[in-house]
Coordinates of all heavy atoms in Angstrom, one line a residue:
Y38 N -1.2 15.0 16.0 CA -2.0 15.6 14.9 C -3.3 16.0 15.4 O -4.3 15.3 15.1 CB -2.1 14.6 13.7 CG -0.8 14.0 13.4 CD1 -0.5 12.6 13.7 CD2 0.3 14.7 12.8 CE1 0.7 12.0 13.3 CE2 1.5 14.1 12.5 CZ 1.7 12.8 12.7 OH 2.9 12.2 12.4
P39 N -3.5 17.1 16.2 CA -4.7 17.4 16.9 C -5.9 17.5 15.9 O -7.1 17.3 16.4 CB -4.4 18.8 17.6 CG -3.0 19.1 17.3 CD -2.4 18.1 16.4
W40 N -5.7 17.8 14.7 CA -6.9 18.0 13.8 C -7.6 16.6 13.6 O -8.7 16.6 13.2 CB -6.5 18.6 12.4 CG -5.4 17.8 11.7 CD1 -5.6 16.8 10.8 CD2 -4.0 18.0 11.8 NE1 -4.4 16.3 10.3 CE2 -3.4 17.0 10.9 CE3 -3.2 18.8 12.5 CZ2 -2.0 16.9 10.8 CZ3 -1.8 18.7 12.4 CH2 -1.2 17.8 11.5
T41 N -6.9 15.5 13.9 CA -7.6 14.2 13.8 C -8.6 14.0 14.9 O -9.5 13.1 14.8 CB -6.6 13.0 13.8 OG1 -5.9 13.1 15.1 CG2 -5.6 13.1 12.7
Q42 N -8.6 14.9 15.9 CA -9.6 14.8 16.9 C -11.0 15.1 16.4 O -12.0 14.7 17.0 CB -9.3 15.8 18.1 CG -8.1 15.5 18.8 CD -7.7 16.6 19.8 OE1 -8.5 17.4 20.2 NE2 -6.4 16.6 20.2
R43 N -11.1 15.8 15.3 CA -12.5 16.2 14.8 C -13.4 15.0 14.6 O -14.6 15.2 14.6 CB -12.3 17.0 13.6 CG -11.9 16.3 12.3 CD -11.4 17.2 11.2 NE -12.6 18.0 10.8 CZ -13.3 17.7 9.7 NH1 -13.0 16.7 9.0 NH2 -14.3 18.5 9.3
Y44 N -12.8 13.9 14.3 CA -13.7 12.7 14.0 C -14.2 12.0 15.3 O -15.0 11.1 15.3 CB -12.9 11.7 13.2 CG -12.4 12.2 11.9 CD1 -11.0 12.6 11.8 CD2 -13.2 12.5 10.9 CE1 -10.5 13.2 10.7 CE2 -12.7 13.1 9.7 CZ -11.4 13.4 9.6 OH -10.9 14.0 8.5
F45 N -13.7 12.5 16.4 CA -14.1 11.8 17.7 C -14.8 12.8 18.6 O -14.6 12.8 19.8 CB -12.8 11.2 18.3 CG -12.1 10.3 17.4 CD1 -11.0 10.6 16.6 CD2 -12.6 9.0 17.3 CE1 -10.4 9.8 15.8 CE2 -12.0 8.1 16.4 CZ -10.9 8.5 15.6
G46 N -15.6 13.7 18.0 CA -16.3 14.7 18.8 C -17.2 14.2 19.8 O -17.5 14.8 20.8
N47 N -17.7 13.0 19.6 CA -18.7 12.4 20.5 C -18.0 11.4 21.5 O -18.6 10.6 22.1 CB -19.8 11.7 19.8 CG -19.3 10.6 18.9 OD1 -18.1 10.5 18.6 ND2 -20.1 9.7 18.4
F48 N -16.7 11.5 21.6 CA -15.9 10.6 22.4 C -15.6 11.2 23.8 O -14.8 10.6 24.6 CB -14.6 10.2 21.8 CG -14.7 9.0 20.9 CD1 -15.8 8.8 20.0 CD2 -13.7 8.0 20.8 CE1 -15.9 7.7 19.2 CE2 -13.8 6.9 20.0 CZ -14.9 6.7 19.2
G49 N -16.2 12.3 24.2 CA -16.0 12.9 25.5 C -14.7 13.7 25.6 O -14.3 14.4 24.6
N50 N -14.0 13.7 26.7 CA -13.0 14.6 27.0 C -11.7 14.3 26.2 O -11.0 13.3 26.4 CB -12.7 14.5 28.5 CG -11.7 15.6 29.0 OD1 -11.2 16.3 28.2 ND2 -11.4 15.6 30.3
L51 N -11.3 15.3 25.3 CA -10.1 15.2 24.6 C -9.3 16.5 24.8 O -8.5 16.9 24.0 CB -10.4 15.0 23.1 CG -11.2 13.9 22.6 CD1 -11.5 14.0 21.1 CD2 -10.6 12.5 23.0
Y52 N -9.4 17.0 26.0 CA -9.0 18.4 26.3 C -7.4 18.5 26.2 O -6.9 19.5 25.7 CB -9.4 18.8 27.7 CG -9.0 20.2 28.1 CD1 -9.6 21.3 27.4 CD2 -8.1 20.4 29.1 CE1 -9.2 22.6 27.7 CE2 -7.7 21.7 29.4 CZ -8.3 22.8 28.7 OH -7.9 24.1 29.0
N53 N -6.7 17.5 26.7 CA -5.2 17.6 26.5 C -4.7 16.2 26.5 O -5.5 15.2 26.5 CB -4.6 18.4 27.7 CG -5.0 17.8 29.1 OD1 -5.3 16.6 29.1 ND2 -4.9 18.6 30.1
A54 N -3.4 16.1 26.4 CA -2.8 14.7 26.2 C -3.2 13.7 27.3 O -3.5 12.6 27.0 CB -1.2 14.9 26.1
A55 N -3.2 14.2 28.5 CA -3.5 13.3 29.6 C -5.0 12.8 29.5 O -5.3 11.7 29.7 CB -3.3 14.0 30.9
A56 N -5.8 13.8 29.1 CA -7.3 13.4 29.0 C -7.4 12.4 27.8 O -8.2 11.4 28.0 CB -8.1 14.7 28.7
I57 N -6.7 12.6 26.8 CA -6.8 11.7 25.6 C -6.3 10.3 26.0 O -7.0 9.3 25.7 CB -6.0 12.2 24.4 CG1 -6.7 13.5 23.9 CG2 -5.9 11.2 23.3 CD1 -5.9 14.3 22.9
R58 N -5.2 10.3 26.7 CA -4.6 9.0 27.1 C -5.5 8.2 28.1 O -5.4 7.0 28.1 CB -3.2 9.2 27.7 CG -2.1 9.3 26.6 CD -0.7 9.1 27.2 NE -0.5 9.9 28.3 CZ 0.1 11.2 28.2 NH1 0.4 11.6 27.0 NH2 0.3 11.9 29.3
S59 N -6.2 8.9 28.9 CA -7.1 8.2 29.9 C -8.5 8.1 29.4 O -9.4 7.7 30.2 CB -6.9 8.9 31.2 OG -7.4 10.2 31.1
N60 N -8.8 8.5 28.2 CA -10.2 8.4 27.7 C -10.6 7.0 27.3 O -10.0 6.4 26.4 CB -10.3 9.4 26.5 CG -11.8 9.4 26.0 OD1 -12.4 8.4 25.8 ND2 -12.3 10.6 25.7
P61 N -11.5 6.4 28.0 CA -11.9 5.0 27.8 C -12.4 4.7 26.4 O -12.2 3.6 25.8 CB -12.9 4.6 28.8 CG -13.4 5.9 29.4 CD -12.3 6.9 29.1
M62 N -13.1 5.7 25.8 CA -13.6 5.5 24.4 C -12.5 5.4 23.4 O -12.5 4.7 22.4 CB -14.6 6.6 24.1 CG -15.9 6.4 24.9 SD -17.1 7.7 24.5 CE -17.8 7.0 23.0
I63 N -11.5 6.3 23.6 CA -10.3 6.3 22.8 C -9.6 4.9 22.9 O -9.2 4.3 21.9 CB -9.4 7.4 23.1 CG1 -10.0 8.8 22.8 CG2 -8.0 7.3 22.4 CD1 -10.3 9.0 21.3

Side-chain angles (χ1 to χ4, degrees):
Y38 311 109
W40 58 91
T41 60
Q42 293 171 20
R43 68 194 297 262
Y44 304 104
F45 303 99
N47 59 344
F48 272 41
N50 186 358
L51 303 175
Y52 183 66
N53 57 24
I57 291 169
R58 278 198 304 272
S59 59
N60 182 313
M62 290 180 80
I63 293 295

